[in-house]
Amino acid sequence: MHCHLDAPANAISVCRDAAQVVVAGRSIFKIYAIEEEQFVEKLNLRVGRKPSLNLSCADVVWHQMDENLLATAATNGVVVTWNLGRPSRNKQDQLFTEHKRTVNKVCFHPTEAHVLLSGSQDGFMKCFDLRRKDSVSTFSGQSESVRDVQFSIRDYFTFASTFENGNVQLWDIRRPDRCERMFTAHNGPVFCCDWHPEDRGWLATGGRDKMVKVWDMTTHRAKEVHCVQTIASVARVKWRPECRHHLATCSMMVDHNIYVWDVRRPFVPAAMFEEHRDVTTGIAWRHPHDPSFLLSGSKDSTLCQHLFRDASQPVERANPEGLCYGLFGDLAFAAKESLVATESGRKPYAGDRRHIFFKRKLDPAEPFAGLASSALSVFEMEPGSGSMSWFVDTAERYALAGRPLAELCDHNAKVARELGRNQVAQTWTMLRIIYCSPGLVPTPNLNHSVGKGSSCGLPLMNSFNLKDMAPGLGSETRLDRSKGDTRSDTVLLDSSATLITNEDNEETEGSDVPADYLLGDVEGEEDELYLLDPEHAHPEEPEYVLPQEAFPLRHEIVDTPPGPEHLQDKADSPHVSGSEADAASLAPVDSSFSLISVSHALYDSRLPPDFFTALVCDMLRFYAEQGDVQMAVSVLIVLGERVRKDIDEQTQEHWYTSYIDLLQRFCLWNVSNEVVKLSTSRAISCLNQASTTLHVNCSHCKRPMSSRGWVCDRCHRCASMCAVCHHVVKGLFVWCQGCSHGGHLQHIMKWLEGSSHCPAGCGHLCEYS
Amino acid sequence: MRIKGSKETLRLDKRIRVSQPLTRGPSAFIPEKEVAQANTVDERTNFLVEEYSTSGRLDNITQVMSLHTQYLESFLRSQFYMLRMDGPLPLPHRHYIAIMAAARHQCSYLINMHVDEFLKTGGIAEWLNGLEYVPQRLKNLNEINKLLAHRPWLITKEHIQKLVKTGENNWSLPELVHAVVLLAHYHALASFVFGSGINPERDPEISNGFRLISVNNFCVCDLANDNNIENASLTGGNFGIVDSLSELEALMERMKRLQEEREDEEASQEEMTTRFEKEKKESLFVVSGDTLHSFPHSDFEDDMIITSDVSRYIEDPGFGYEDFARRGEEHLPTFRAQDYTWENHGFSLVNRLYSDIGHLLDEKFRMVYNLTYNTMATHEDVDTTMLRRALFNYVHCMFGIRYDDYDYGEVNQLLERSLKVYIKTVTCYPERTTKRMYDSYWRQFKHSEKVHVNLLLMEARMQAELLYALRAITRHLT
């Protein structure tokens, strides 16, 4: 429930009996009664004709012993006490004008009826006895502004004060000369502090550095026991009654919510109240022994009562996940059980050694109990598959530009073949066929490579081999099997593929496929209907059926594996070559094969290369999806204008950046530079223009030369002289790394052609390469 | 190399021509030896310059500021951070924004400096032809630049919304905050440049042999434009010394009295309010009266200049400071300092959107506010807190920022009229500052102390601008 105030509130305080709340601000000072369903305005303390600055409150506090007694701190430095028992309309009781600057905080002694403490911007804390006209004692914070003062609840004589410079001081009320203890709690101002209502030594502080810290003051040195990182500077902090580890905070700026934290779980708030539309300026628990009601006042001119059970709990929305690499490249992944189960349709089953479900033992104090059920999967690295030498070799040997397209394709195909990557080689050859004049490719060569295609797969697929066969694979196999069935009698499919699909059938029969997952494949089934066409039609007359056949089929397979299956269908190595994943990767080869076998026929009918653009783009995407971004980028560069416009800029950019990143990881700087240079994407080509500045220091005084590269501002000497012509080098300067002599590039080159000694005459045998 | 050469000529070409200074040394107001003396002693300054200066040399501003090395460090550090370190804006943009800011006060010194830096960091030379040549996005900053420089209280969340509204030329909030910090910094720095009479930089190339053909009678910011008058006042300065001695005594006397009186004197709330209003109102007369005196022709001159060189970086050159008090008729609400303080609110916002700058600015403000050597002219062991606070709050008062806990009567007691004239000129129309104004207040005080005053004015102004701008951004966010 909430009620609208006339003006922004700066602070609120609750009466001892929890039935009334006082709201104070620059132009508001009212008491509201808290009723069942609403707040009822009971009293307006802002009386008098002219509003006085004494009424512009920075803070307000209600005495916890005497329900008639209130104190306010004014922005002009006045401390005012109010007695609700006065018969007149004006309840103002006393006025203390001792502070020179704004008073930030006032605090009543928890048990003593007449003791009031104030802390001000001028750096002083003053203790007032309400029976006297002026302060009893003054405590000096050494010229640093005081932001908060709080009497200890347990120690009769102790109070804590926090300062703008980040310090917290502990004082004994009887000893105004010096503080008992001082320590730096925060970086920047400490806006607030609160003593724990039960734990005698615990003090919570909140600062501008967005931290809430809990200090144990019982030890010799204040010890930080908990630390909560919030998202904005902390304006107020209040311990939650009856909940030892809970505290509520609100922030000074930007963030309008109120959070309740469990200090032991410092990353996610236990509860969150999101009602306010502007920063919350005051929070108070309604009753010192009731943890369920929280009151708050805000700059948006509202007063709210929050019920703890209505709070939103961010933890419910969180999806805890963990991912970690082991020392030897193993990968462990843990996620909430429900997530794993729903997303991949996988279920735990008996033979699964590595798929572990476990429940954490519940700790009664554990605030988020009941959520701790998670699934853990471990993926092992297959020995030998981690080698990426093929990548390096390919990168180095590929030709990307500078020759006619046909030659480039041939060259790259050759490279791929020599590295045993027949599918890739095949692709290159096909590209050549598509985009260059036909008839140059010897057919036997083709057949040969297709024969090998089944065992190559994409190298990146080898990276992981999931030891446990998760039933999620079912869907995948199902699809393949259906394909296998429909095509098993086509002449185009070679025997190995048939064999594989047969094996699939056996293997996947045991695993039950979730029904809903199959629904997702309806589209796939439709495509199978398409496929029926080519079967009925004789493969020898492909002119009109081929396009239909080839394209949708490929498409479907590439797009099928979502999420976790990625890893699984990458499982591809000789000894598991029977696995269904292999079939998946094989499928595109099949389709392309079918394409090739009819290529002559195609060209007879003069299909323009544009006709294939969509297909090529799909192919590129396929490679990129499979993790072989190298292929995608290389083809993109080689084909250039022919396909570029059909793939959207962002995807291209993404591929380029991934490939460049990979190249740089393998220290293939030259290749990566070439790729950058050849790229047509603006974002990529400007990579080479970034951070091109070379900073030089003067060789005499070792100072940086800022304005010009050849003369030092400081020692007015020319730093780089040519050892040959003895003039200043203003352009390219080359120097020997052995003797550090050098000069104009041209001069040095010329010199070293005739002599092997350093031109400076130092006797060093310089080398120029 | 050829490219570089052409850039060089371009740079010289784009520089705004400045008359050769009539005095030597970094400042036209301060005798060279005053600055130099302090300088030779100070190794630390050199170190700081090496560390943080963008141009790599000891410029005149730094030289003058080095009278207060402690402050200099935090100044250079924050300036370096906003110009060179991680930030949302590209380097050339930062310098261009600095140029735009300085152009609002026709501060050719800063403009020249940043034209150089702008080109050096790879800025597009064409932009220097004027605002029509820059991208719309930068041009959009004009409005806020104008308001911030002259009447920051007019900035509303609508201005912010207009800039960040999604579209082709929109600003992201971090970018905007960076820009605002730069703008405020360079407006304030322009105040310092004029307030301390910083001389144009001597170009090292020029001193290396070539001589700049001095442009006849072409004065842009003409710091020394009343040099003749100044000489006159120097001759007449003798009688001033007697005066000023007693002046100083009187000031100290007043400070002491204020300190003691504090307890007994109880001003009512109404009176406090009226005092603030009075101070606001009075600030209105302070210069307007004086301008007429000392600048019978300055407006005319300014206009001439504006149309020439500097104006290409600004729009609406006629827009200037207008007294906050005068606008009171429209009931512009007074900015209550306690409702939006730098420490609580400004810092958090600025640091959130442009990380770490908050700490640097915080340190700088704190430094300048707390800087003291406990001396006043010839007297030692004086607590100058009151004086510093009066200066700081008076500047804020002119921008309509009121501190509830400050008795504005103090301003009246502590700041004499000539000083008020100076303060108002430096913070509101810095380009009109003259040596005579500089000389006419606190005649007994050391130059370093006057530089300290300038630093206070500069920071107070910067904080005021930042507070208004950040408050608008906060309102936009909520």
Side-chain angles (χ1 to χ4, degrees):
Chain A
M1 78 182 181
H2 65 96
C3 90
H4 187 78
L5 312 171
D6 314 323
N10 276 348
I12 62 170
S13 185
V14 190
C15 178
R16 180 177 59 159
D17 59 7
Q20 293 176 78
V21 59
V22 59
V23 183
R26 174 170 288 285
S27 46
I28 182 172
F29 189 23
K30 283 180 181 172
I31 291 177
Y32 286 87
I34 310 166
E35 297 190 349
E36 205 57 44
E37 288 296 321
Q38 57 180 343
F39 293 104
V40 177
E41 184 179 331
K42 251 193 99 188
L43 191 61
N44 189 356
L45 289 159
R46 222 178 135 77
V47 289
R49 276 161 289 114
K50 271 207 162 173
S52 152
L53 268 186
N54 291 345
L55 287 168
S56 148
C57 304
D59 191 33
V60 64
V61 63
W62 206 316
H63 203 297
Q64 289 307 301
M65 302 296 292
D66 181 350
E67 58 197 45
N68 277 333
L69 205 53
L70 285 142
T72 56
T75 48
N76 64 349
V78 179
V79 176
V80 194
T81 58
W82 308 79
N83 187 353
L84 301 182
R86 278 168 72 116
S88 71
R89 235 178 106 238
N90 190 353
K91 309 284 185 195
Q92 186 171 323
D93 196 23
Q94 287 211 62
L95 209 66
F96 301 100
T97 51
E98 293 187 30
H99 284 295
K100 293 192 188 100
R101 306 278 306 266
T102 301
V103 178
N104 286 319
K105 198 78 189 178
V106 281
C107 176
F108 278 115
H109 195 279
T111 49
E112 200 58 54
H114 301 286
V115 181
L116 175 68
L117 191 65
S118 67
S120 154
Q121 197 74 15
D122 62 13
F124 293 103
M125 293 143 277
K126 287 181 188 283
C127 182
F128 304 95
D129 186 323
L130 300 186
R131 290 161 295 196
R132 287 171 56 173
K133 279 252 169 280
D134 44 16
S135 63
V136 184
S137 46
T138 301
F139 312 87
S140 165
Q142 305 303 322
S143 83
E144 271 299 333
S145 306
V146 186
R147 299 308 302 241
D148 199 355
V149 283
Q150 290 290 341
F151 273 111
S152 167
I153 291 165
R154 301 285 143 156
D155 286 326
Y156 186 87
F157 296 112
T158 310
F159 72 88
S161 56
T162 70
F163 293 84
E164 201 137 88
N165 62 355
N167 285 348
V168 171
Q169 294 181 350
L170 233 55
W171 291 83
D172 187 315
I173 199 95
R174 296 160 296 185
R175 293 190 54 188
D177 52 329
R178 50 180 287 273
C179 65
E180 298 285 294
R181 186 189 281 186
M182 181 168 95
F183 60 94
T184 303
H186 290 265
N187 179 15
V190 190
F191 287 137
C192 53
C193 66
D194 195 31
W195 289 95
H196 197 285
E198 291 145 37
D199 237 312
R200 175 185 163 97
W202 277 17
L203 179 73
T205 58
R208 194 173 70 179
D209 57 359
K210 308 179 190 171
M211 307 256 227
V212 178
K213 292 181 180 176
V214 179
W215 304 88
D216 185 355
M217 310 292 259
T218 49
T219 46
H220 181 61
R221 286 186 56 185
K223 200 173 79 195
E224 185 187 322
V225 278
H226 293 293
C227 177
V228 175
Q229 176 87 49
T230 67
I231 57 166
S233 52
V234 183
R236 310 264 174 197
V237 51
K238 283 271 179 279
W239 288 100
R240 187 172 172 209
E242 312 283 309
C243 293
R244 211 182 119 94
H245 289 101
H246 282 200
L247 49 80
T249 66
C250 65
S251 74
M252 186 73 93
M253 275 290 286
V254 190
D255 184 20
H256 311 156
N257 299 341
I258 304 165
Y259 300 101
V260 178
W261 300 87
D262 184 304
V263 289
R264 294 161 303 174
R265 304 294 294 263
F267 304 108
V268 185
M272 192 161 110
F273 301 100
E274 299 165 298
E275 280 84 356
H276 288 297
R277 297 274 76 86
D278 201 340
V279 281
T280 311
T281 46
I283 47 176
W285 294 96
R286 184 172 156 188
H287 194 274
H289 295 291
D290 185 354
S292 50
F293 294 99
L294 179 69
L295 298 165
S296 69
S298 159
K299 281 248 190 243
D300 65 1
S301 310
T302 53
L303 175 67
C304 277
Q305 173 171 289
H306 312 273
L307 267 172
F308 197 77
R309 64 177 139 82
D310 295 341
S312 70
Q313 302 198 344
V315 75
E316 280 174 1
R317 280 177 269 153
N319 286 330
E321 281 177 350
L323 184 73
C324 187
Y325 261 115
L327 182 60
F328 301 105
D330 296 357
L331 184 71
F333 173 70
K336 218 157 91 179
E337 187 184 347
S338 53
L339 281 177
V340 176
T342 53
E343 255 179 35
S344 63
R346 108 175 18 170
K347 291 198 313 195
Y349 70 94
D352 188 358
R353 294 196 319 278
R354 292 177 175 273
H355 200 97
I356 310 156
F357 281 84
F358 59 93
K359 276 237 185 330
R360 194 168 352 174
K361 208 197 274 173
L362 294 184
D363 171 6
E366 180 66 59
F368 306 134
L371 295 172
S373 158
S374 54
L376 175 73
S377 319
V378 180
F379 303 93
E380 258 185 8
M381 196 74 165
E382 197 189 322
S385 66
S387 156
M388 289 284 279
S389 59
W390 62 270
F391 177 85
V392 179
D393 280 349
T394 318
E396 278 172 346
R397 291 170 58 189
Y398 264 1
L400 298 178
R403 283 190 261 171
L405 179 63
E407 269 179 53
L408 288 177
C409 288
D410 278 347
H411 175 88
N412 292 345
K414 202 174 123 227
V415 169
R417 207 171 303 120
E418 278 165 16
L419 291 168
R421 307 173 67 215
N422 286 324
Q423 193 194 355
V424 174
Q426 196 60 45
T427 314
W428 281 113
T429 321
M430 304 214 357
L431 286 172
R432 190 209 141 127
I433 296 169
I434 294 173
Y435 289 100
C436 305
S437 55
L440 290 168
V441 191
T443 14
N445 183 13
L446 269 179
N447 288 339
H448 171 67
S449 52
V450 170
K452 272 173 91 183
S454 62
S455 63
C456 78
L458 285 168
L460 257 187
M461 296 175 181
N462 292 340
S463 305
F464 295 106
N465 182 16
L466 186 62
K467 284 296 167 66
D468 53 334
M469 294 297 200
L473 288 175
S475 59
E476 176 78 12
T477 30
R478 173 57 193 265
L479 183 65
D480 290 325
R481 184 173 48 196
S482 58
K483 256 161 228 162
D485 290 344
T486 49
R487 279 197 270 138
S488 54
D489 47 357
T490 58
V491 263
L492 297 175
L493 208 66
D494 61 1
S495 58
S496 74
T498 327
L499 182 71
I500 290 162
T501 41
N502 286 344
E503 279 177 15
D504 291 346
N505 294 349
E506 286 165 21
E507 223 180 273
T508 48
E509 250 153 9
S511 68
D512 53 342
V513 180
D516 60 332
Y517 211 85
L518 273 178
L519 287 178
D521 282 331
V522 168
E523 236 184 315
E525 303 293 349
E526 275 169 2
D527 282 322
E528 302 307 333
L529 295 177
Y530 265 113
L531 278 173
L532 290 175
D533 277 339
E535 278 156 27
H536 295 309
H538 201 270
E540 244 67 287
E541 338 169 312
E543 281 90 351
Y544 56 93
V545 282
L546 177 81
Q548 277 180 323
E549 180 238 19
F551 305 157
L553 169 66
R554 281 178 57 102
H555 217 11
E556 202 43 51
I557 292 164
V558 174
D559 290 344
T560 334
E565 274 94 350
H566 267 295
L567 288 172
Q568 293 149 12
D569 67 19
K570 282 171 188 165
D572 177 352
S573 61
H575 71 271
V576 279
S577 67
S579 91
E580 56 293 321
D582 202 16
S585 67
L586 186 69
V589 180
D590 293 339
S591 61
S592 47
F593 174 68
S594 58
L595 187 78
I596 292 159
S597 67
V598 293
S599 60
H600 295 291
L602 271 178
Y603 276 97
D604 287 341
S605 62
R606 292 272 172 253
L607 275 173
D610 275 359
F611 180 78
F612 297 98
T613 312
L615 177 67
V616 172
C617 292
D618 279 348
M619 187 264 302
L620 292 186
R621 278 193 201 104
F622 167 76
Y623 276 113
E625 293 265 302
Q626 295 295 312
D628 189 3
V629 78
Q630 182 179 46
M631 184 65 188
V633 172
S634 303
V635 171
L636 202 59
I637 292 176
V638 167
L639 293 183
E641 287 299 332
R642 293 176 190 87
V643 285
R644 199 185 332 126
K645 54 190 179 304
D646 294 294
I647 299 173
D648 70 294
E649 273 291 303
Q650 232 164 351
T651 318
Q652 287 192 34
E653 207 179 300
H654 183 63
W655 290 351
Y656 273 119
T657 40
S658 332
Y659 187 39
I660 289 166
D661 190 44
L662 263 177
L663 287 171
Q664 291 181 343
R665 263 162 212 256
F666 285 100
C667 299
L668 297 164
W669 312 111
N670 290 340
V671 186
S672 102
N673 225 22
E674 196 188 348
V675 170
V676 171
K677 220 170 92 187
L678 291 171
S679 80
T680 44
S681 160
R682 250 193 84 211
I684 300 300
S685 46
C686 71
L687 279 181
N688 261 356
Q689 283 149 31
S691 65
T692 49
T693 321
L694 207 65
H695 297 280
V696 238
N697 282 9
C698 172
S699 56
H700 299 294
C701 62
K702 309 279 184 286
R703 310 273 195 229
M705 297 196 293
S706 43
S707 50
R708 278 158 305 261
W710 59 88
V711 61
C712 177
D713 280 332
R714 212 166 307 270
C715 55
H716 300 288
R717 280 159 83 172
C718 293
S720 39
M721 306 290 274
C722 175
V724 180
C725 68
H726 298 285
H727 280 97
V728 183
V729 186
K730 293 187 179 177
L732 281 176
F733 184 82
V734 63
W735 71 96
C736 168
Q737 292 181 345
C739 65
S740 74
H741 290 115
H744 292 105
L745 178 62
Q746 299 293 331
H747 292 170
I748 298 289
M749 270 162 76
K750 217 174 271 169
W751 177 274
L752 289 177
E753 274 168 20
S755 158
S756 58
H757 286 271
C758 175
C762 66
H764 186 256
L765 287 168
C766 298
E767 242 179 90
Y768 179 83
S769 50
Chain B
M1 263 16 280
R2 196 165 294 142
I3 292 162
K4 174 102 187 182
S6 70
K7 259 202 173 168
E8 206 71 7
T9 48
L10 177 98
R11 184 170 68 87
L12 289 178
D13 184 48
K14 288 298 171 212
R15 277 165 154 264
I16 286 155
R17 287 165 301 170
V18 184
S19 62
Q20 283 299 70
L22 295 163
T23 44
R24 292 170 53 78
S27 163
F29 296 173
I30 306 166
E32 195 181 3
K33 61 174 198 303
E34 285 268 343
V35 183
Q37 247 173 7
N39 224 19
T40 42
V41 191
D42 219 334
E43 254 310 298
R44 178 118 190 94
T45 312
N46 280 326
F47 170 74
L48 286 174
V49 169
E50 257 152 52
E51 192 89 8
Y52 297 117
S53 166
T54 48
S55 61
R57 65 167 181 234
L58 184 67
D59 51 33
N60 289 342
I61 292 186
T62 319
Q63 235 169 319
V64 172
M65 275 187 195
S66 68
L67 290 167
H68 304 279
T69 334
Q70 277 174 297
Y71 169 80
L72 180 68
E73 178 166 5
S74 42
F75 171 82
L76 285 178
R77 215 188 316 195
S78 63
Q79 180 172 268
F80 186 75
Y81 186 82
M82 53 185 114
L83 287 177
R84 281 288 179 278
M85 302 293 277
D86 287 345
L89 291 172
L91 295 188
H93 284 223
R94 306 183 192 185
H95 289 293
Y96 200 84
I97 289 170
I99 293 172
M100 285 168 68
R104 279 297 345 161
H105 289 305
Q106 300 128 46
C107 182
S108 55
Y109 175 86
L110 289 174
I111 294 179
N112 285 341
M113 193 158 153
H114 286 282
V115 163
D116 288 1
E117 300 269 322
F118 173 73
L119 292 172
K120 220 189 280 172
T121 49
I124 299 163
E126 202 191 14
W127 292 10
L128 296 176
N129 291 335
L131 277 181
E132 308 91 82
Y133 297 86
V134 304
Q136 185 62 35
R137 209 166 87 94
L138 270 177
K139 230 193 283 180
N140 289 345
L141 215 54
N142 238 318
E143 178 74 10
I144 212 170
N145 179 22
K146 187 176 83 177
L147 291 177
L148 212 51
H150 306 294
R151 300 174 207 167
W153 53 87
L154 293 181
I155 292 181
T156 58
K157 71 173 181 196
E158 280 76 29
H159 292 113
I160 306 294
Q161 262 154 9
K162 222 158 75 190
L163 285 171
V164 301
K165 188 178 62 190
T166 42
E168 205 185 335
N169 297 311
N170 75 319
W171 288 76
S172 72
L173 274 176
E175 282 172 330
L176 184 63
V177 167
H178 192 175
V180 161
V181 170
L182 279 168
L183 288 174
H185 179 82
Y186 280 99
H187 292 150
L189 194 56
S191 282
F192 181 81
V193 168
F194 287 111
S196 321
I198 302 291
N199 272 336
E201 213 62 61
R202 292 159 165 276
D203 212 307
E205 293 142 77
I206 293 159
S207 58
N208 277 352
F210 306 97
R211 196 109 202 108
L212 181 78
I213 306 137
S214 69
V215 189
N216 281 343
N217 294 334
F218 187 88
C219 306
V220 175
C221 60
D222 212 347
L223 300 166
N225 72 354
D226 59 346
N227 246 7
N228 310 327
I229 313 168
E230 170 235 325
N231 288 337
S233 78
L234 269 187
T235 48
N238 290 337
F239 78 87
I241 285 173
V242 192
D243 255 15
S244 58
L245 264 178
S246 53
E247 229 170 57
L248 175 67
E249 298 299 332
L251 176 61
M252 302 224 9
E253 187 57 37
R254 279 198 300 273
M255 278 174 71
K256 204 177 275 168
R257 214 174 48 228
L258 272 175
Q259 226 140 16
E260 285 159 1
E261 260 176 24
R262 256 222 133 97
E263 275 81 49
D264 350 316
E265 190 221 13
E266 280 299 319
S268 74
Q269 292 318 305
E270 295 81 55
E271 203 182 323
M272 296 292 250
T273 316
T274 29
R275 277 180 191 176
F276 175 74
E277 295 302 327
K278 201 174 115 202
E279 215 43 61
K280 249 168 44 179
K281 287 255 159 53
E282 256 185 29
S283 73
L284 200 150
F285 301 114
V286 156
V287 169
S288 36
D290 197 85
T291 357
L292 290 179
H293 277 129
S294 54
F295 305 98
H297 51 83
S298 73
D299 282 327
F300 167 68
E301 237 176 36
D302 280 350
D303 286 343
M304 289 258 297
I305 292 143
I306 279 172
T307 46
S308 60
D309 254 336
V310 188
S311 65
R312 59 177 177 235
Y313 298 119
I314 51 175
E315 267 171 8
D316 193 5
F319 191 88
Y321 175 82
E322 192 173 292
D323 291 281
F324 186 82
R326 193 185 292 158
R327 323 216 97 236
E329 296 143 24
E330 296 165 33
H331 290 292
L332 264 173
T334 306
F335 188 118
R336 299 301 190 127
Q338 270 84 357
D339 287 354
Y340 199 95
T341 62
W342 164 256
E343 286 81 14
N344 295 359
H345 307 93
F347 172 91
S348 301
L349 183 67
V350 97
N351 218 35
R352 183 187 190 88
L353 293 169
Y354 178 22
S355 55
D356 289 345
I357 193 71
H359 290 289
L360 292 167
L361 294 177
D362 202 34
E363 193 199 315
K364 190 162 67 121
F365 291 142
R366 207 175 276 257
M367 174 64 73
V368 81
Y369 199 84
N370 293 331
L371 188 68
T372 181
Y373 306 98
N374 293 320
T375 56
M376 258 176 80
T378 47
H379 296 257
E380 297 207 344
D381 209 15
V382 192
D383 182 9
T384 57
T385 318
M386 204 180 250
L387 215 48
R388 280 177 279 138
R389 196 165 165 218
L391 286 167
F392 205 85
N393 287 357
Y394 185 61
V395 173
H396 277 193
C397 166
M398 281 185 303
F399 285 104
I401 300 176
R402 178 178 174 193
Y403 289 84
D404 284 347
D405 54 357
Y406 188 68
D407 174 6
Y408 286 84
E410 276 186 31
V411 168
N412 230 7
Q413 305 238 15
L414 296 177
L415 310 183
E416 60 194 52
R417 197 180 158 79
S418 55
L419 176 56
K420 280 188 183 170
V421 170
Y422 178 76
I423 294 175
K424 177 135 196 210
T425 317
V426 166
T427 44
C428 303
Y429 328 92
E431 60 276 10
R432 296 189 195 161
T433 318
T434 61
K435 181 157 169 37
R436 200 177 61 153
M437 285 179 186
Y438 176 83
D439 286 332
S440 65
Y441 78 94
W442 284 4
R443 266 164 280 188
Q444 277 299 294
F445 280 65
K446 289 184 217 128
H447 282 293
S448 76
E449 285 169 320
K450 290 193 170 187
V451 170
H452 187 184
V453 170
N454 277 330
L455 294 177
L456 267 168
L457 301 185
M458 163 167 112
E459 294 302 340
R461 178 174 180 200
M462 177 169 182
Q463 201 183 72
E465 287 187 16
L466 275 180
L467 283 177
Y468 275 111
L470 294 174
R471 189 177 65 162
I473 293 177
T474 310
R475 286 184 175 165
H476 161 75
L477 285 174
T478 53

